[in-house]
Amino acid sequence: MRFTSLSSSLSLFTTWFVLQAAAAPAAGSQVLTPQDFKQTIADGVWFIEHFSPYCRHCRNFEPTWNRVVDNFEKEKPDLGIHLAQVNCALNGDLCTENGVTGYPQMNLYRNGLFVETFTKDRDFDILVDFLLARAEHTANPLSSSTAVEQEELVAEIVPVDENSVVHVSQAESNPLGEVISLTSETFDNFVSQAPTFVKFFAPWCGHCKKLAPTWTQVARRMQHKLNIAEVNCDEFKSLCSKQGVTGYPMLFYYSHGAKTEYSGSRKYEPLVAFADKAASPTMQPISAHDLDKVVHENPVAYVLLSSSHEHIVSEVTKDSQLLLGSPPVFVSSSKELFARYDIPATESWAILAFKDHDSKEPTSVFSPSSSDTLSTWLFANRLPTSLELSRDVFQQVMNAPHNPLVVIAATPNDVQNDVSSKLDDIAKKWRLRKSYVGKQDVVFTWMDADQWGSWMKSMYGVKVKEQPKVVVADHNRLIYWDRDTTGQPIQLNTVSIFSAIEGIYDSKIRSKHSENILERSLRVFNSSLTSTEGFIIAHPYMAVLLILGFLAAVVMAIKKLLDDDTDLQSEHRYIKGGRLD
């Protein structure tokens, strides 16, 4: 008995010793723990490797890491670059706090603040070049695009031309580089103060748990640039319902009283790319001779022409925030451009939309006399005339706020270049016809049939073999058309596609449903439930009165039926065996 107990103790001790030995850090590199991490990195530039001794990639990377350590700590100590490690097998909570999502992960810190994560190849020369560039930025922090902590006290100056500038005050965002937890009481006020990227989650949701460390890392990356927040929908169900949360996690970007849903990848790089766009200045100054160049470089570009710019620049800056830099917005007060595009002298400003790299004539013009709101116009004109309908732009196209008709050419892999070129030509000819003016907008797209074949089949009954198949979809109403006015399947040519679109405009061809009867019934039922829930949340007292009124009506109806039945029974007489009973 004692021998067995002693043997078990020795076995446990041996196992512990082996694990500790395996978890030993790389030689020559300082190892940080939760107790000394913040104090150590509080001064200077620190490059920290987060690793696990059980990670094969970490073990393979160890010789390279040691070379980098020797290069900066021993050979170039005057550069002020310090290197250290954190063992995530022993200090998992610290790694989670530092936004670590995989091993090895290297984070750069300056004076205790997270700057960025190294995402390039783990090659010695690439690492050295990366750190040398940061060493140069250390001497002059303002020269670094990542040294945003210096910017909150500086006003951004946007030049319009040689003789005028526009001052836009820069409010501080995310000063601590942390995720802010919002409640029903704090939500509205917080998102109204500055642009905010919000995650709506539930603690039990597996995808939410997986996103959590990445979300922390995004918050650190966007320090001083963009607010990163979260809402626990288990605790604040009514708030999440009010914000249109239908699943977990859902991500929304809020700016100037409006919101847009983020539907891209939930990996670190795409999230940061989105956040960087959201935090970037929305307007760029140009001169008259720059216009052709910027239009040529962008599939879609907006140009604000303004002679008295103060008010309208502020308005366009606010409303274009939700475009997230796509398309870019340029500003100029050049009289040459006013004359070039025949802007009336009575208009002090106008916004021009250019598409398809063509600067000869804008596809649309917004001015003080326009009937649409500015934000509606900006979203209605943001898409190029033709593009690939990929995962990255699917939501922008199919769920665009102005609900366009979408021409979709499902295309086999071996003819995609030819189809793209042909569709682009058809789209340009359609734009030149101007028959769409005042009617539902049209966007021309092509899809990879190999990647999206099953979706095309389930939504539109399309089976692609050797030739592309074309449909016109109204995704907002979940209907589509697959034939032109002659009754033939839509072909990839000008005559057939134009015939189909004009037939849709004139209601000459019948649409088909993208859903079957059961799916449509379920959607209507779900929509009714959602509307009812929204009404109860928005008007709880009125909802209680209506429910009580309904119950009272039911009780009265039942009582009336019972009373009528009693009266009938008391008055009922019948004859049995020739006798009156």
Side-chain angles (χ1 to χ4, degrees):
M1 194 79 158
R2 290 180 182 176
F3 178 79
T4 302
S5 177
L6 179 60
S7 176
S8 299
S9 298
L10 287 173
S11 177
L12 289 172
F13 176 79
T14 303
T15 302
W16 175 85
F17 182 80
V18 170
L19 289 174
Q20 292 298 312
S29 180
Q30 182 177 358
V31 179
L32 304 180
T33 67
Q35 289 71 36
D36 62 5
F37 182 84
K38 291 185 178 179
Q39 180 181 356
T40 302
I41 70 167
D43 184 30
V45 176
W46 286 83
F47 193 48
I48 309 296
E49 180 201 11
H50 300 80
F51 76 101
S52 169
Y54 313 111
C55 159
R56 177 171 55 85
H57 298 295
C58 301
R59 293 196 296 270
N60 293 338
F61 176 60
E62 182 179 344
T64 303
W65 174 258
N66 289 336
R67 286 182 63 196
V68 175
V69 171
D70 289 342
N71 185 75
F72 285 95
E73 295 287 6
K74 296 180 180 179
E75 299 174 17
K76 302 173 183 175
D78 55 312
L79 291 178
I81 299 290
H82 307 287
L83 293 93
Q85 293 177 298
V86 173
N87 187 335
C88 295
L90 300 179
N91 303 291
D93 290 343
L94 176 59
C95 292
T96 299
E97 184 182 339
N98 290 346
V100 175
T101 58
Y103 309 124
Q105 178 173 312
M106 286 157 282
N107 291 353
L108 185 74
Y109 299 85
R110 179 181 289 110
N111 296 330
L113 301 177
F114 171 83
V115 176
E116 61 184 307
T117 296
F118 178 82
T119 57
K120 300 179 181 179
D121 291 338
R122 293 187 291 269
D123 177 80
F124 175 78
D125 291 332
I126 294 175
L127 282 160
V128 169
D129 289 342
F130 174 85
L131 292 174
L132 285 175
R134 274 63 191 173
E136 293 172 4
H137 293 157
T138 304
N140 181 13
L142 287 175
S143 68
S144 170
S145 60
T146 59
V148 293
E149 63 270 15
Q150 301 293 327
E151 296 176 3
E152 75 256 26
L153 300 178
V154 181
E156 180 186 356
I157 300 177
V158 182
V160 179
D161 60 12
E162 294 78 6
N163 301 316
S164 59
V165 294
V166 180
H167 294 271
V168 183
S169 60
Q170 188 86 354
E172 182 181 9
S173 298
N174 193 7
L176 301 177
E178 297 177 348
V179 177
I180 304 299
S181 295
L182 301 178
T183 68
S184 298
E185 292 72 28
T186 62
F187 183 87
D188 289 337
N189 182 63
F190 188 85
V191 299
S192 68
Q193 297 297 316
T196 307
F197 198 12
V198 183
K199 174 187 71 173
F200 294 88
F201 75 100
W204 45 262
C205 159
H207 295 295
C208 302
K209 293 177 182 177
K210 185 177 180 180
L211 178 60
T214 303
W215 199 243
T216 299
Q217 194 174 358
V218 171
R220 290 184 179 276
R221 175 65 177 82
M222 300 311 296
Q223 186 174 23
H224 297 294
K225 296 175 68 176
L226 181 68
N227 285 332
I228 306 296
E230 64 182 11
V231 174
N232 184 336
C233 292
D234 266 10
E235 293 186 23
F236 306 105
K237 293 180 180 179
S238 62
L239 171 60
C240 294
S241 178
K242 181 181 177 182
Q243 296 303 316
V245 176
T246 56
Y248 306 121
M250 284 191 78
L251 309 179
F252 287 108
Y253 173 72
Y254 294 82
S255 178
H256 301 288
K259 73 175 181 180
T260 186
E261 182 184 357
Y262 172 81
S263 55
S265 169
R266 291 167 186 161
K267 294 184 178 180
Y268 174 77
E269 290 80 6
L271 284 167
V272 167
F274 176 90
D276 275 331
K277 274 189 176 181
S280 298
T282 58
M283 301 181 67
Q284 307 170 49
I286 60 168
S287 60
H289 70 271
D290 291 329
L291 179 69
D292 292 338
K293 180 182 177 182
V294 299
V295 171
H296 179 72
E297 291 174 346
N298 296 280
V300 181
Y302 291 138
V303 178
L304 167 62
L305 301 181
S306 174
S307 56
S308 56
H309 52 263
E310 289 83 357
H311 171 69
I312 188 56
V313 168
S314 176
E315 287 297 312
V316 175
T317 299
K318 182 182 75 172
D319 286 349
S320 63
Q321 188 83 35
L322 288 177
L323 296 175
L324 304 173
S326 180
V329 183
F330 301 92
V331 57
S332 176
S333 60
S334 169
K335 295 180 180 179
E336 178 184 337
L337 294 179
F338 271 87
R340 178 176 172 180
Y341 295 109
D342 297 323
I343 305 301
T346 55
E347 305 282 16
S348 61
W349 61 268
I351 308 175
L352 316 180
F354 294 95
K355 296 188 179 184
D356 309 318
H357 313 287
D358 184 1
S359 61
K360 293 180 181 178
E361 183 181 2
T363 57
S364 182
V365 178
F366 185 88
S367 67
S369 57
S370 298
S371 57
D372 286 337
T373 63
L374 176 56
S375 59
T376 300
W377 183 89
L378 289 170
F379 274 98
N381 289 278
R382 72 180 303 190
L383 298 172
T385 309
S386 69
L387 72 162
E388 179 186 359
L389 189 56
S390 64
R391 191 179 305 276
D392 293 337
V393 300
F394 185 89
Q395 294 294 336
Q396 289 184 28
V397 176
M398 302 299 279
N399 294 318
H402 64 300
N403 301 323
L405 293 173
V406 183
V407 176
I408 306 174
T411 309
N413 187 58
D414 56 345
V415 294
Q416 286 178 2
N417 290 335
D418 181 55
V419 169
S420 174
S421 177
K422 187 178 294 186
L423 195 67
D424 189 55
D425 182 62
I426 293 172
K428 289 179 180 178
K429 289 179 179 178
W430 173 258
R431 180 163 60 81
L432 292 173
R433 285 166 64 100
K434 296 188 180 298
S435 57
Y436 62 89
V437 175
K439 300 180 180 178
Q440 195 170 3
D441 191 22
V442 181
V443 179
F444 294 79
T445 71
W446 64 271
M447 295 188 81
D448 185 338
D450 295 336
Q451 181 180 358
W452 294 84
S454 59
W455 181 80
M456 290 291 294
K457 181 180 178 181
S458 65
M459 287 292 290
Y460 308 124
V462 169
K463 298 180 181 178
V464 181
K465 295 182 179 179
E466 297 180 357
Q467 297 298 320
K469 299 286 187 177
V470 182
V471 298
V472 181
D474 186 334
H475 194 66
N476 181 57
R477 297 191 290 162
L478 291 174
I479 58 176
Y480 70 97
W481 298 262
D482 58 5
R483 296 182 179 273
D484 58 26
T485 52
T486 67
Q488 298 299 312
I490 303 174
Q491 302 296 314
L492 188 63
N493 61 58
T494 303
V495 174
S496 182
I497 291 179
F498 287 8
S499 168
I501 296 172
E502 289 171 349
I504 294 168
Y505 283 164
D506 298 334
S507 301
K508 292 182 178 179
I509 53 179
R510 292 183 61 184
S511 63
K512 298 180 179 180
H513 287 279
S514 303
E515 302 172 305
N516 58 40
I517 295 176
L518 177 60
E519 289 172 329
R520 294 203 300 274
S521 300
L522 289 174
R523 181 165 57 85
V524 170
F525 179 69
N526 182 66
S527 178
S528 300
L529 287 179
T530 302
S531 299
T532 302
E533 182 184 10
F535 176 80
I536 292 173
I537 292 172
H539 309 285
Y541 298 113
M542 187 179 294
V544 170
L545 290 174
L546 288 173
I547 292 172
L548 292 175
F550 173 76
L551 292 174
V554 170
V555 171
M556 291 177 64
I558 293 174
K559 185 175 184 301
K560 187 174 187 308
L561 286 173
L562 292 174
D563 290 344
D564 290 345
D565 188 56
T566 301
D567 292 342
L568 286 171
Q569 288 183 12
S570 63
E571 296 175 4
H572 180 62
R573 294 182 303 171
Y574 61 94
I575 299 175
K576 184 177 180 180
R579 292 161 47 187
L580 184 64
D581 291 340

